[in-house]
Amino acid sequence: MTTTPGGGSRLMLGFEGYSVGSAFHDLLAETGARCVILFARNITCAEQCKDLILELRASVPWPLLVAVDQEGGAVVRLTRGATVFPGNMALGAAAEPQLALEVGRASGRELAAIGFDLNLAPVVDLQTNPLNPGIGIRSFGADRSLATDLAEAFVRGHAESGVSCCLKHFPGKGAASVDAHLDLPVLELELSEFREPHVRIFEDAFARLEDCDPCVMTTHVLVRGLDPDLPATLSRRVVNDFLRAELAFDGLVIADDLEMGAIEKHGSVAEAALGAAVAGHDVLPVCHRPDRQREAARLLDAAVTDGRLDAESHARACARIARHSARGVSTSPSSTTSSGPLGLDLDAGAHIARMVAERAFTVLADPGGLLPIGANDRVLLLAARPHAVVGVEEVADRDWSGLVFGAFESAGARSPVVRDFDLGTLGRQPHATRERLLEGASDFTRVVLLSWNASFSEPMRGLLEAVCAAVPERLVVVHLRNPFDQALVPATVTAVTNYGYRVAHIEALAKGLLGAFHARGRMPAPIRPVPN
């Protein structure tokens, strides 16, 4: 007879470092956790990551479910030895489910070869609020039908390699105006107002993907029409009564990270873990602090013993976790072959990434006919350096100015001049930074401003306004991180977006601006709030 493990087994733990180490080895043994999540802080490259996963599996006598956030675009953990694909909004702009399937297949093959069981993707929140600070380009857009098609294709692509996917963030936070990484979003909506389209996309996906056994991640959002008092992650009404009973979802349910601001600002992380378990979650992520992880494990173990956690429900949760653990993953050490690290065809992945980025390239406005930029035009590029916008985002360290210069030079621009800038410095020294960036701008045929999240950054917004006023007749604004910044651009100014800032995005941007292909992308969500 198999013994059901203790309550701590339902934790999903994160840790620091590139190897397991004695401290985390002891923590796994002490908590009995069956799930581990890896972040960029754990990964140098694909080969090292595979060896780390093998080390993790060898450190405990039970199967582990090993997960990663490899959404594509803004949220990726693997950047070396694996393909960095454009994210969901690029797929939404391209509007081709076949492309989403190809991305899912390639990503699934890579993650399976490395040893992951679960990709915590795709985001299926519908971006109905242009001022949503936490979703944005992570969403497929606002069209429920198109987003469902793209999500289904992405999940099926992963399933071909035995990698599970996770539909997130139930019941939907695309309408929120607060980022749950910082505080609790509250939506004053009745269920009849909220269900279409935010819940409906989950219902549609459940029906269409039943054979793929996807997981669901809930989110820290309080929707008054679902539960007037508690966020979804702590609400039995939302998880047990609505998701499990009414919507009949019997797959693995994962809470969002319980150390986010939406939770830790309002109470104990350990109590939140117990509350999420009582609500009906199977997996309880506590991803950062070992003291909180230990405290949560002790509380969950005690709750199983004293009956606060129902024994049958606990056993079902443990069985669902086991079902997703080590599903056909590789168990041999890493190796490099002629086709690439771990025998992967990374050239094929890069080709798919380029195809998505090019088909997503969107011209939002070109009233003065400034596009395409001519091969002999003198081009000044003002390039904001990427930085994390949401807590789940980890921006890779790279030679940003060199990347931008190389992409435009390769696309045919004549000796482009790149002036990059940091938003922190811009905020501290706005006038000096603007003067440096715009010095001699009138000597260039085109000035291209690579803008960064101006809707939520006062320094960037100020610079955007200043550049639009200074050189409107030769300016092309590029929205890298937030295409909804278009609401801030005068109607007389040319503007484009490529929905991201990774290598494939920048290379496609340069080619698109210089006319190497016809711009076919369409903005898949409203730029301005839609009146009720």
Side-chain angles (χ1 to χ4, degrees), residues 470-500:
V471 287
E473 74 289 347
R474 69 194 68 212
L475 176 62
V476 179
V477 174
V478 178
H479 304 297
L480 287 183
R481 183 57 181 80
N482 188 353
F484 305 97
D485 288 347
Q486 180 61 16
L488 305 175
V489 177
T492 54
V493 171
T494 296
V496 306
T497 184
N498 54 344
Y499 311 96

Side-chain angles (χ1 to χ4, degrees), residues 175-430:
S177 298
V178 173
D179 181 4
H181 295 89
L182 304 176
D183 210 334
L184 179 66
V186 177
L187 297 175
E188 302 286 351
L189 297 172
E190 295 300 321
L191 179 56
S192 58
E193 302 172 279
F194 181 75
R195 190 165 193 157
E196 175 63 55
H198 300 287
V199 176
R200 278 288 305 280
I201 188 169
F202 286 94
E203 296 179 75
D204 293 348
F206 296 161
R208 289 163 60 166
L209 288 166
E210 186 175 3
D211 59 310
C212 292
D213 193 19
C215 310
V216 168
M217 177 179 286
T218 67
T219 187
H220 313 307
V221 62
L222 195 158
V223 181
R224 297 290 189 195
L226 281 169
D227 188 322
D229 303 311
L230 292 172
T233 33
L234 303 180
S235 171
R236 190 166 177 83
R237 287 189 186 184
V238 174
V239 182
N240 186 75
D241 301 346
F242 188 59
L243 176 60
R244 290 285 193 209
E246 185 172 337
L247 303 188
F249 181 76
D250 192 42
L252 190 75
V253 178
I254 306 170
D256 213 341
D257 181 14
L258 295 167
E259 290 186 272
M260 288 185 184
I263 296 295
E264 66 176 5
K265 282 187 176 181
H266 301 280
S268 157
V269 170
E271 290 288 350
L274 177 57
V278 171
H281 295 86
D282 303 309
V283 178
L284 313 164
V286 182
C287 300
H288 304 287
R289 284 176 42 179
D291 59 326
R292 290 173 169 173
Q293 294 165 341
R294 285 189 169 86
E295 185 184 0
R298 287 193 294 267
L299 188 59
L300 291 165
D301 286 341
V304 170
T305 301
D306 63 26
R308 281 176 290 171
L309 277 181
D310 175 73
E312 290 186 7
S313 297
H314 176 61
R316 286 195 294 271
C318 293
R320 291 189 190 99
I321 293 170
R323 192 170 75 215
H324 285 268
S325 301
R327 301 193 338 171
V329 299
S330 173
T331 57
S332 59
S334 64
S335 62
T336 301
T337 71
S338 58
S339 55
L342 310 181
L344 293 167
D345 187 353
L346 297 182
D347 288 341
H351 173 73
I352 296 167
R354 285 193 297 270
M355 195 177 341
V356 174
E358 290 180 9
R359 293 187 185 177
F361 177 75
T362 302
V363 176
L364 297 167
D366 188 20
L370 300 188
L371 299 178
I373 295 172
N376 293 319
D377 288 342
R378 292 197 67 213
V379 180
L380 172 62
L381 293 147
L382 310 179
R385 294 178 202 149
H387 71 99
V389 171
V390 295
V392 75
E393 185 174 2
E394 296 173 311
V395 178
D397 184 24
R398 66 161 63 94
D399 175 11
W400 176 244
S401 180
L403 169 63
V404 173
F405 177 87
F408 276 81
E409 186 176 56
S410 296
R414 182 171 69 98
S415 301
V417 174
V418 179
R419 296 174 185 168
D420 65 348
F421 60 95
D422 174 73
L423 290 183
T425 303
L426 177 63
R428 293 187 299 271
Q429 303 171 7

Side-chain angles (χ1 to χ4, degrees), residues 378 380 419 435-444 447:
R378 292 197 67 213
L380 172 62
R419 296 174 185 168
E435 287 181 6
R436 175 180 69 83
L437 294 175
L438 287 170
E439 183 180 0
S442 59
D443 296 334
F444 292 86
V447 176

Side-chain angles (χ1 to χ4, degrees), residues 14-57:
F15 64 100
E16 298 286 341
Y18 300 122
S19 61
V20 174
S22 59
F24 191 64
H25 180 279
D26 293 346
L27 185 63
L28 281 174
E30 180 182 336
T31 61
R34 263 54 176 176
C35 307
V36 174
I37 181 170
L38 299 186
F39 293 91
R41 67 188 187 222
N42 306 118
I43 300 169
T44 60
C45 63
E47 299 99 310
Q48 171 270 337
C49 186
K50 177 168 184 173
D51 290 342
L52 173 58
I53 292 173
L54 291 172
E55 185 185 4
L56 281 165
R57 297 195 190 284

